[in-house]
Amino acid sequence: MRHSSDPTAPAGPAPRRASGTRAILAGALAAALAACAPAPPAPEIAERRVAFEGPLPPMKSFAGARTAPSIRSNREIAQDFLDLSFQMESGRRLPALARFEGPVRVGVRGPATPSLERDLDALLARLRNEAGIDIRRARPAAEANLVVEVLSRRELQRLVPQAACFVVPRVTSWEEFRRARRTAAVDWTTVRTRTRAAVFLPGDVSPQETRDCLHEEIAQALGPLNDLYRLPDSVFNDDNFHTVLTGFDMLMLRVFYDDALSSGLSRAEVASRLPGVLARLNPAGQGRTGRATDPTPPEWTRAIETALGPRATPAERQAAARRAVRIAEARGWRDTRRAFSLYALGRLSLGSEPELALASFLEAAAIYRARPDTRIQAAHVNMQLAAFSLSAGQIEGTLALVDESLPAVSAAENAALLATLLLIRAEALEAGGRGREAASVREDALGWARYGFGRDDVVRARASEIATLARVRADR
């Protein structure tokens, strides 16, 4: 299940307001740095916003995934596979491996957009080519055993309020799910072989959000059902930094459907076969030394979920992020979980304590940049730091942060983040007197923003929020 709360969601109103120029700057930072997800504009900068009128350029889209293989050891990967495949996100144990034991045929119901159709076809091609799964569109549609149904966000969240999208076993329509809800029929722990499943996702969101749902939910319909915060290179992680299936994810699915495994095998039986399967499918992982990973304690997970969830007050969310940082420090973590704790604290401190936000981002950046498999996470932090740099008038520093991040963001196919970084770059170029170059970069950014953010009014709001950062500096 893809959660609505993610690290790029708006931080919400600050628990207290600063005064004068500092309030304007803090508000501008909070609004602009939330630009990777649709959100209402921050009220404190509404009158300072720069208007972007006129027609927008055509929507851009990615030509194709350029996934890199996992760089971790097969011993680590085997443990990841077992933890992903034999437990639910809720913590409930799955007694046996359960997968589709024949061809998977995919159908679409509801008002699918052309971009959804294209993204679905591209995903199915990747699953065939990279994961070796016999999956394709159902012809005719009635023969589908995996259905993607498109609904309005409102209808979807009326039944499952916390979910951006989700997958359910043994049904192939929304009406079937409504009737079977709260029964054993849709309980994954009772499934021994997967025969039918349905992915429910909203159609009234940005093309990127729809695509992200396709990737995560179809992957879970086919394979692992759990998410692990410790994973640096996977969509099977509730930090939501990765938005399309990675090389690691495709390896997980290839293992899931390897001929050496089958539905009904216990965890112990799968564990005994994994070394041979991974040696064959991922020989590069054989000679690598694995890292010992401290288990993620429930109190850290609860703190992160409170910090990113919608139910707590802003003060409670920030306190929860501080608690997650303290837990990470106490356990001596220097991995992605500590960095994510700091990232969450930075996000939640933007409106009230920008100095704390900056310090948190800098520490998170140091952790992410030290690892070769966390480039996209480092790019998210760089976006935050680039906005600070732009607002301070540090043109060359801003450009360096953006340029360092663009290759990883393009490879990860994150149009929302790409558009935000390019908009920051355009403002830095404008402030440096390079107006013609700025206009070209801004045009490129707005094309990506149409895919990443969706509606034209949201695209214009994001562009004006970024422009505000440079204007605040000029007005000080």
Side-chain angles (χ1 to χ4, degrees):
M1 178 176 72
R2 189 168 187 87
H3 298 276
S4 299
S5 56
D6 66 66
T8 57
R16 58 184 175 85
R17 297 287 184 206
S19 59
T21 302
R22 183 172 177 274
I24 295 171
L25 178 57
L29 285 167
L33 299 183
C36 279
E44 64 267 36
I45 65 165
E47 296 179 2
R48 307 295 295 265
R49 188 166 293 130
V50 180
F52 281 83
E53 304 298 341
L56 294 171
M59 182 177 74
K60 288 180 173 287
S61 60
F62 294 98
R66 296 169 303 196
T67 55
S70 176
I71 62 171
R72 290 182 291 122
S73 73
N74 280 349
R75 179 175 292 184
E76 280 184 271
I77 291 171
Q79 188 62 53
D80 294 338
F81 183 87
L82 294 171
D83 291 346
L84 286 170
S85 303
F86 286 92
Q87 187 168 305
M88 300 285 293
E89 290 182 61
S90 63
R92 297 173 69 201
R93 299 286 180 179
L94 294 167
L97 189 78
R99 68 183 192 184
F100 286 93
E101 291 297 343
V104 181
R105 296 297 176 256
V106 181
V108 179
R109 297 168 59 102
T113 62
S115 67
L116 182 151
E117 298 279 5
R118 287 193 300 271
D119 287 336
L120 176 59
D121 286 337
L123 172 59
L124 298 185
R126 284 193 62 199
L127 290 167
R128 289 193 298 272
N129 296 332
E130 297 179 47
I133 297 174
D134 181 3
I135 185 170
R136 60 189 69 247
R137 292 288 198 109
R139 306 284 189 231
E143 295 181 359
N145 53 358
L146 173 55
V147 171
V148 175
E149 184 155 354
V150 184
L151 307 159
S152 70
R153 185 198 290 267
R154 184 178 209 177
E155 186 175 7
L156 186 147
Q157 293 190 339
R158 187 179 295 131
L159 290 190
V160 188
Q162 295 293 92
C165 44
F166 58 97
V167 61
V168 178
R170 297 193 179 111
V171 303
T172 52
S173 74
W174 184 249
E175 286 309 312
E176 240 189 307
F177 168 62
R178 287 171 62 94
R179 291 194 299 270
R181 195 164 65 107
R182 299 195 181 96
T183 72
V186 291
D187 183 350
W188 282 104
T189 65
T190 67
V191 176
R192 294 299 179 269
T193 301
R194 301 184 194 185
T195 56
R196 297 189 303 154
V199 168
F200 301 113
L201 53 80
D204 51 353
V205 296
S206 74
Q208 177 168 319
E209 187 170 346
T210 301
R211 181 211 62 190
D212 296 352
C213 280
L214 282 173
H215 276 247
E216 181 164 344
E217 302 311 325
I218 287 180
Q220 292 199 318
L222 295 169
L225 295 166
N226 197 9
D227 280 326
L228 298 171
Y229 276 110
R230 71 173 185 256
L231 297 179
D233 53 355
S234 175
V235 301
F236 297 114
N237 187 329
D238 273 339
D239 65 13
N240 288 351
F241 280 123
H242 286 281
T243 56
V244 298
L245 292 173
T246 66
F248 171 87
D249 299 328
M250 288 298 181
L251 176 60
M252 290 294 94
L253 290 169
R254 186 175 281 277
V255 172
F256 213 88
Y257 283 84
D258 190 82
D259 289 342
L261 305 182
S262 61
S263 293
L265 292 179
S266 69
R267 182 181 175 116
E269 289 171 322
V270 171
S272 69
R273 301 181 191 193
L274 274 181
V277 172
L278 285 169
R280 177 165 34 85
L281 297 182
N282 189 47
Q286 286 296 98
R288 292 177 178 147
T289 303
R291 294 185 180 127
T293 303
D294 186 23
T296 304
E299 58 268 24
W300 182 88
T301 302
R302 286 194 296 270
I304 285 292
E305 289 175 349
T306 300
L308 301 180
R311 297 183 178 178
T313 67
E316 290 169 339
R317 293 174 68 193
Q318 189 185 49
R322 289 178 184 271
R323 192 158 59 249
V325 170
R326 287 197 300 270
I327 293 170
E329 290 174 345
R331 299 183 80 90
W333 289 344
R334 291 295 298 172
D335 61 8
T336 55
R337 293 168 296 180
R338 177 169 182 153
F340 188 52
S341 306
L342 291 160
Y343 183 79
L345 179 58
R347 293 279 305 131
L348 294 168
S349 304
L350 283 167
S352 58
E353 299 181 67
E355 297 89 351
L356 173 62
L358 179 57
S360 299
F361 291 140
L362 287 170
E363 189 176 349
I367 296 171
Y368 286 138
R369 289 172 183 160
R371 297 177 57 121
D373 53 359
T374 52
R375 297 291 185 232
I376 188 61
Q377 290 93 328
H380 274 272
V381 181
N382 277 359
M383 183 267 288
Q384 313 281 351
L385 295 173
F388 272 99
S389 182
L390 178 64
S391 69
Q394 298 170 355
I395 305 306
E396 294 307 316
T398 302
L399 294 174
L401 285 163
V402 171
D403 292 346
E404 176 188 308
S405 305
L406 293 179
V409 177
S410 296
E413 298 193 4
N414 190 326
L417 181 57
L418 180 59
T420 302
L421 286 164
L422 290 174
L423 286 168
I424 291 173
R425 191 174 198 279
E427 292 304 321
L429 291 169
E430 192 83 55
R434 298 157 66 179
R436 182 175 298 181
E437 190 177 351
S440 175
V441 172
R442 189 176 293 112
E443 182 90 354
D444 195 27
L446 293 173
W448 288 115
R450 296 195 71 183
Y451 184 88
F453 299 129
R455 297 196 325 264
D456 287 2
D457 60 326
V458 178
V459 170
R460 290 192 175 93
R462 292 299 165 262
S464 62
E465 285 163 357
I466 298 297
T468 300
L469 292 175
R471 301 308 185 269
V472 166
R473 173 67 182 179
D475 292 346
R476 290 179 66 178

